Amino acid sequence: MLFYASEKYPLEDSYSKYITEHGGSTNAFTASEHTNYYFDVNADCFEEAVDRFAQFFIKPLMSADATTREIKAVDSENQKNLLSDTWRIYQLQKHLSSESHPFHKFSTGNWDTLEVRPKAKGLDTRQELIKLYEENYSANLMHLVVYGKDNLDKIQALVEEKFLDIKNKDRSSPRYPGQPCSSEHLQILVKVVPIKQGHKLRIVWPITPEIHHYKEGPCRYLGHLIGHEGEGSLFYILKTLGWATSLSAGEGDGSFEFAFFKVGIELTDAGQEHTQDIIGLLFKYIALVQQSGVCSWVFDELAAVSETKFHYQDKTPPIDYVVNISTNMELYPPKDWLVGSSLPSIFSPSIIQKVLDDLSPNNVRIFWESNNFENHTDLVEPWYSTAYSIEKITSSMIQEWMLSAPNGELHLPAPNVFIPTDLSIKNVHEEVKYPVLLRKSPYSTLWHKPDTVFLTPKAFVKIDFSCPHANDSPEAEVLSNIFTELLMDYLNEFAYYARVAGLYYGISHTDSGFQVTLVGYNHKLRILLETVIGKIASFKVKPDRFSVIKEMVTKEYQNLKFQQPYQQAMYYCSLILQDRTWPWMEELEILPHLQADDLAKFAPLMLSRAFFECYIAGNIERSEAESMVLYIEDVLFKESNPICRPLFPSQHLTSRIVKLENGISYFYPVEGLNPSDDNSSLVHYIQVHQDDFRMNAKLQLFALVAKQPAFHQLRSVEQLGYITFLLSRNDSGVRGLQFIIQSTAKGPAQIDLRVEAFLKMFETKLYEMTDDEFKSNVNALIDMKLEKHKNLREESGVYWREISDGTLKFDRRETEVAALKQLTKTRTNRFFS
């Protein structure tokens, strides 16, 4: 409501329009104890943007008409969430708490709570909004973070001038002492029917919030041990037994007054039959941690990793940084505002022990989700209609489960060999602005970009394997997918240590084969790379792991029908446009018939012809990069009986996109896959051109200028739906524009008419744009393009896109800026029509 208008800037939506047209974005969110408003904008427009922003907290206009429309927007957002398991289980956890505690309440609002019920009580929602604002929006309860290019004195003067008139009503922060869970809400086993296929256990304990002991980090310590995935860990044992596919542990859903320690375990079908054993094993591991005592070496290792991470942290986008720091200001003393809880530094066995003691059978809450419980529950949560039932459990029951659980070799993790000790920066003798093609052979190409900008001891390595056999049928695509999932599975207990130490890896299946990504500290990256390549070279199918991964992949495919309708519509759009893609329904049809032997035959065939494209960037010298690629070639291509052979020239394929003919409209109507979902969706895609700097400049300018008016007209005014986007689109260098709208109010055909009407209306506005407005929009887009990359990962993402798309225009930004400077209003109008 505050974003709509203020007394000083009464034109509705002028704030959002100003921010968007000047290269920025804006948003707000409400958490359990605070609301956070934030924006970013091009530096030369900062002062006016700050002034517009400040007025929300001085004299906002909350009109009756806008209030009704915003209630509809909130209701539309709620409609979007009704079939989301994340929202459903969160609200159920809240529902099963003391009614007198605020945690129990419905957290997002809908038409009923904001319009129907207030009216029945004789309340005016707008007046209640104003009352809430008057009572809580007081300067002494606000924290402000301003991030700008000017010096501190100038920024301080700007802040004092613009925010001076915010009233200080000397309010005290509301506090809600007491725990949300009384004894009746503890020692319970809740069986829940989810929307999606699958089984999950969530084991939850109320604890003292870590914020009170952030230097000691008790939850970080315990989450590290209970959530570990290396050999001897709880997850390792569950995985070996074929009972679980993922495990996480740590603090969640907290506030200053209360918090929960949570363990989440994704179960296999076999694990679903052994939940008592799994809960028993969890408590056995907690007992092991108890018996081992609080270990100083574990804490010291965590502290060392945290310190290295803090000192070599990547620069983040300013908009994320200000949100983070403003939240910290509420929670920490000033000396720790910039650090927060990121540096545990005080080893306190007693504080860790206290939280460990809380993880007992006496105050546990267990939420067990499975479709198997359908028609076997007797209760319904009121806000999301989630079906569930409750059973009481006792300490003695859990003791029995511990005794009957299998005797896995549970033990604490080993010391982490991946913690980097060499954090020196390599000398780069020449300034390298763009990636350089270092090497080309029949087996590979190597692009290299040494870091001369960020100067951190980190690297980015991308290895893209093109294997023609990987995707030549729906069956091949599924088998390729299982191949990459199995590789990740085989590497997990070894490579998990690398992840803990800040060296991340991923192996994913692509449209043309598969891809290996390594990102993080460069010191021990080569060890991880050699291990990954070794696993590819020695790949064997383990039938027990094949069964688990096949089951997991099957559920992923089955759950695609529960995606939001707008995500389904975007999927169909890509399926139609991209060459050589297979519908997931066909792939799902194949899955039940696949056996371990099929993959055992397929993997050597897939790898028999391959080519890899490699991009290595960061704190890695030219010779090291070449050595890595030679190592991969030696292992995969140059053994006496090589695993891979080079591609034939005709097998080097580029990505192709279906060309849509000018002047012809194509409609692809399809029924939503989930009959329970009342939302429908439209993707209105306009294909424009193949990569061309001048045309790109025109399209991007149009998208910038039209983005906020489209959002305002179609979402705020016409109330079509909460999900309303106008985005430019790039498919392997083929550029276009797309409207994405999801609605319960109108069907896709009616939404499409509204999009056409908007384009007609916007055409008039475009022609009415003054030369000054046009120039201002062009300059805003230029400023956006000239914004520097924040970190190595962001820069590498941009350059890798050029390589993978085959466009190789590494100087794109500079060339598109030059094209923008040549752009005229007449040419832009002609482009639109």
Side-chain angles (χ1 to χ4, degrees):
M1 283 303 300
L2 296 194
F3 284 176
Y4 271 94
S6 63
E7 220 168 84
K8 184 172 179 182
Y9 298 99
L11 184 64
E12 188 173 289
D13 202 49
S14 60
Y15 161 75
S16 299
K17 185 172 184 288
Y18 183 86
I19 297 290
T20 306
E21 285 184 355
H22 292 91
S25 58
T26 178
N27 215 331
F29 65 86
T30 295
S32 56
E33 292 178 305
H34 66 272
T35 299
N36 196 313
Y37 299 84
Y38 52 97
F39 75 89
D40 63 0
V41 75
N42 290 343
D44 58 346
C45 313
F46 193 48
E47 187 169 339
E48 185 175 334
V50 166
D51 189 45
R52 287 170 177 272
F53 183 77
Q55 292 304 311
F56 302 146
F57 313 105
I58 298 166
K59 283 192 175 170
L61 293 180
M62 294 196 254
S63 73
D65 178 51
T67 304
T68 304
R69 280 184 277 129
E70 203 52 32
I71 292 171
K72 286 179 180 173
V74 169
D75 187 63
S76 174
E77 182 177 9
N78 180 64
Q79 292 278 349
K80 171 184 77 70
N81 299 337
L82 289 177
L83 297 176
S84 160
D85 283 325
T86 307
W87 284 101
R88 292 164 73 88
I89 194 72
Y90 177 56
Q91 189 59 47
L92 180 59
Q93 290 179 31
K94 287 157 70 66
H95 182 65
L96 298 177
S97 66
S98 303
E99 287 186 32
S100 58
H101 197 284
F103 180 71
H104 179 84
K105 293 182 179 182
F106 176 43
S107 49
T108 60
N110 61 20
W111 183 258
D112 188 46
T113 62
L114 294 169
E115 177 70 16
V116 179
R117 292 188 191 191
K119 268 197 175 144
K121 291 179 186 169
L123 296 173
D124 179 329
T125 302
R126 178 172 175 267
Q127 291 307 318
E128 293 298 310
L129 269 177
I130 292 165
K131 192 169 137 193
L132 177 101
Y133 180 87
E134 295 295 341
E135 286 176 2
N136 294 282
Y137 280 54
S138 171
N140 71 304
L141 297 182
M142 297 180 182
H143 296 91
L144 177 68
V145 180
V146 180
Y147 183 127
K149 284 174 76 174
D150 294 319
N151 63 50
L152 286 177
D153 290 343
K154 196 168 176 187
I155 292 175
Q156 185 175 337
L158 173 71
V159 167
E160 287 173 358
E161 177 200 341
K162 302 299 183 189
F163 292 88
L164 185 68
D165 292 333
I166 296 178
K167 289 177 191 160
N168 183 358
K169 300 161 190 171
D170 201 25
R171 295 277 192 264
S172 57
S173 245
R175 286 275 172 247
Y176 304 99
Q179 286 294 321
C181 296
S182 60
S183 57
E184 68 176 292
H185 306 114
L186 301 172
Q187 291 191 298
I188 55 172
L189 173 63
V190 185
K191 293 178 176 176
V192 190
V193 181
I195 297 294
K196 289 187 173 181
Q197 295 293 313
H199 324 285
K200 185 163 187 173
L201 272 175
R202 298 172 201 256
I203 301 96
V204 182
W205 297 266
I207 54 161
T208 303
E210 187 168 75
I211 187 66
H212 299 293
H213 303 293
Y214 64 93
K215 295 268 191 202
E216 294 83 359
C219 291
R220 182 184 288 232
Y221 176 95
L222 294 169
H224 169 67
L225 292 180
I226 297 168
H228 209 279
E229 297 180 21
E231 204 172 305
S233 66
L234 172 63
F235 178 67
Y236 177 78
I237 301 298
L238 295 177
K239 182 184 149 183
T240 306
L241 290 164
W243 291 352
T245 55
S246 75
L247 185 149
S248 62
E251 187 185 38
D253 294 345
S255 72
F256 201 76
E257 307 288 350
F258 67 89
F260 297 96
F261 189 91
K262 298 186 162 193
V263 176
I265 307 171
E266 298 273 359
L267 308 178
T268 61
D269 290 345
Q272 165 71 6
E273 302 301 317
H274 289 275
T275 46
Q276 292 182 1
D277 290 332
I278 292 168
I279 294 163
L281 279 165
L282 167 60
F283 278 100
K284 273 173 107 163
Y285 192 85
I286 292 168
L288 167 74
V289 176
Q290 284 275 19
Q291 289 152 17
S292 307
V294 178
C295 304
S296 59
W297 75 265
V298 174
F299 182 86
D300 291 344
E301 196 175 83
L302 272 177
V305 167
S306 300
E307 194 162 331
T308 304
K309 184 179 179 181
F310 181 79
H311 288 301
Y312 296 102
Q313 64 186 293
D314 288 338
K315 190 175 181 183
T316 56
I319 196 164
D320 297 334
Y321 190 74
V322 295
V323 168
N324 184 32
I325 303 304
S326 58
T327 305
N328 285 355
M329 290 169 77
E330 222 181 321
L331 301 171
Y332 303 98
K335 67 184 172 63
D336 288 327
W337 280 351
L338 302 185
V339 177
S341 60
S342 57
L343 288 177
S345 54
I346 301 169
F347 178 57
S348 171
S350 61
I351 286 171
I352 294 171
Q353 188 64 48
K354 186 185 177 313
V355 178
L356 180 56
D357 291 342
D358 285 337
L359 310 186
S360 83
N362 297 326
N363 63 341
V364 73
R365 287 153 60 87
I366 300 173
F367 293 83
W368 180 7
E369 300 159 51
S370 173
N371 305 97
N372 294 7
F373 300 139
E374 202 154 351
N375 303 319
H376 294 90
T377 57
D378 56 353
L379 296 165
V380 176
E381 188 279 320
W383 297 106
Y384 291 83
S385 301
T386 305
Y388 71 100
S389 61
I390 303 179
E391 297 169 20
K392 282 304 264 184
I393 48 172
T394 61
S395 297
S396 57
M397 287 166 73
I398 289 176
Q399 292 294 339
E400 283 173 28
W401 298 348
M402 288 170 72
L403 288 169
S404 64
N407 281 322
E409 286 292 312
L410 291 167
H411 59 78
L412 295 186
N416 194 337
V417 296
F418 276 103
I419 293 174
T421 50
D422 178 3
L423 296 161
S424 59
I425 306 299
K426 309 280 169 74
N427 290 320
V428 179
H429 302 297
E430 74 280 5
E431 191 73 27
V432 181
K433 195 173 181 184
Y434 303 118
V436 174
L437 181 61
L438 263 196
R439 188 174 177 279
K440 192 167 185 176
S441 78
Y443 318 108
S444 70
T445 52
L446 167 62
W447 296 89
H448 181 236
K449 166 76 172 64
D451 174 21
T452 56
V453 180
F454 311 108
L455 305 179
T456 59
K458 296 181 182 179
F460 179 100
V461 176
K462 182 80 83 172
I463 310 155
D464 187 70
F465 287 89
S466 178
C467 307
H469 295 299
N471 286 64
D472 57 12
S473 70
E475 185 174 13
E477 178 145 343
V478 177
L479 288 167
S480 303
N481 189 3
I482 295 175
F483 168 79
T484 58
E485 291 284 358
L486 272 174
L487 278 174
M488 289 286 285
D489 185 75
Y490 295 170
L491 285 159
N492 191 58
E493 42 270 15
F494 174 76
Y496 183 79
Y497 284 95
R499 253 165 60 202
V500 170
L503 178 54
Y504 304 95
Y505 77 105
I507 305 168
S508 57
H509 135 262
T510 65
D511 287 342
S512 55
F514 64 98
Q515 209 170 73
V516 175
T517 310
L518 304 170
V519 188
Y521 302 114
N522 58 277
H523 179 206
K524 312 237 171 134
L525 185 143
R526 177 70 184 250
I527 300 168
L528 186 58
L529 174 78
E530 290 186 7
T531 309
V532 171
I533 298 303
K535 277 278 186 263
I536 294 169
S538 63
F539 182 79
K540 294 279 181 291
V541 181
K542 299 175 186 171
D544 59 329
R545 297 314 298 160
F546 176 86
S547 299
V548 169
I549 297 299
K550 175 185 160 182
E551 182 192 309
M552 186 180 85
V553 168
T554 302
K555 284 174 188 162
E556 283 170 6
Y557 276 109
Q558 288 169 338
N559 286 329
L560 288 172
K561 72 177 181 188
F562 299 115
Q563 282 187 321
Q564 294 279 342
Y566 80 91
Q567 294 169 316
Q568 293 180 31
M570 289 168 72
Y571 164 77
Y572 285 119
C573 187
S574 297
L575 182 68
I576 291 163
L577 288 174
Q578 288 167 7
D579 190 31
R580 291 172 61 81
T581 52
W582 313 107
W584 68 260
M585 293 72 118
E586 292 179 7
E587 294 171 4
L588 179 58
E589 209 177 295
I590 286 157
L591 262 161
H593 310 291
L594 294 179
Q595 302 300 327
D597 278 355
D598 295 314
L599 183 58
K601 289 171 192 155
F602 172 77
L605 173 69
M606 179 184 78
L607 294 170
S608 66
R609 293 282 169 191
F611 182 85
F612 68 94
E613 193 137 33
C614 196
Y615 176 74
I616 299 179
N619 196 36
I620 289 190
E621 289 171 344
R622 181 183 180 137
S623 58
E624 290 177 276
E626 288 176 327
S627 164
M628 283 182 191
V629 167
L630 280 169
Y631 174 81
I632 299 168
E633 287 189 357
D634 285 346
V635 171
L636 296 180
F637 291 88
K638 295 182 181 173
E639 297 287 331
S640 55
N641 186 17
I643 295 149
C644 307
R645 287 185 167 78
L647 299 187
F648 293 109
S650 60
Q651 289 181 299
H652 288 271
L653 298 176
T654 54
S655 300
R656 297 197 303 174
I657 302 300
V658 173
K659 185 179 181 183
L660 305 183
E661 293 303 322
N662 257 351
I664 302 176
S665 292
Y666 300 85
F667 294 92
Y668 185 74
V670 61
E671 196 174 342
L673 295 166
N674 181 4
S676 306
D677 198 330
D678 292 335
N679 291 281
S680 53
S681 183
L682 169 83
V683 169
H684 181 108
Y685 168 70
I686 304 164
Q687 195 176 81
V688 182
H689 63 281
Q690 212 162 346
D691 197 29
D692 171 272
F693 290 134
R694 284 203 187 97
M695 292 290 278
N696 293 352
K698 291 173 195 171
L699 181 63
Q700 288 160 14
L701 183 65
F702 175 78
L704 175 75
V705 176
K707 184 180 176 181
Q708 190 55 33
F711 181 85
H712 179 64
Q713 180 62 33
L714 300 172
R715 180 186 186 263
S716 303
V717 177
E718 298 188 25
Q719 288 293 310
L720 293 181
Y722 178 77
I723 301 282
T724 302
F725 302 117
L726 167 59
L727 302 168
S728 51
R729 180 176 172 131
N730 176 8
D731 296 276
S732 305
V734 175
R735 306 297 178 119
L737 196 73
Q738 57 185 356
F739 289 82
I740 301 165
I741 301 170
Q742 180 169 297
S743 179
T744 49
K746 286 186 164 52
Q750 291 168 295
I751 300 171
D752 198 40
L753 291 174
R754 299 318 307 149
V755 169
E756 293 287 0
F758 166 77
L759 288 167
K760 273 261 179 304
M761 179 187 77
F762 189 70
E763 184 174 16
T764 313
K765 286 194 174 176
L766 205 59
Y767 290 136
E768 288 169 356
M769 189 190 290
T770 66
D771 289 341
D772 284 348
E773 284 173 323
F774 176 79
K775 204 171 286 181
S776 168
N777 286 318
V778 168
N779 290 336
L781 188 52
I782 288 172
D783 287 347
M784 287 166 75
K785 287 194 167 298
L786 294 179
E787 192 179 329
K788 292 174 184 169
H789 297 303
K790 302 287 178 296
N791 52 57
L792 177 67
R793 190 182 284 216
E794 185 186 303
E795 179 195 77
S796 298
V798 169
Y799 290 141
W800 174 251
R801 179 83 196 254
E802 294 290 341
I803 294 166
S804 64
D805 281 354
T807 42
L808 302 180
K809 293 170 180 170
F810 300 121
D811 62 348
R812 177 177 299 280
R813 291 199 300 184
E814 295 80 357
T815 316
E816 286 184 354
V817 163
L820 276 166
K821 286 177 177 172
Q822 303 296 316
L823 208 52
T824 63
K825 190 168 156 258
T826 313
R827 276 189 202 152
T828 308
N829 290 350
R830 206 180 301 139
F831 165 78
F832 175 75
S833 52

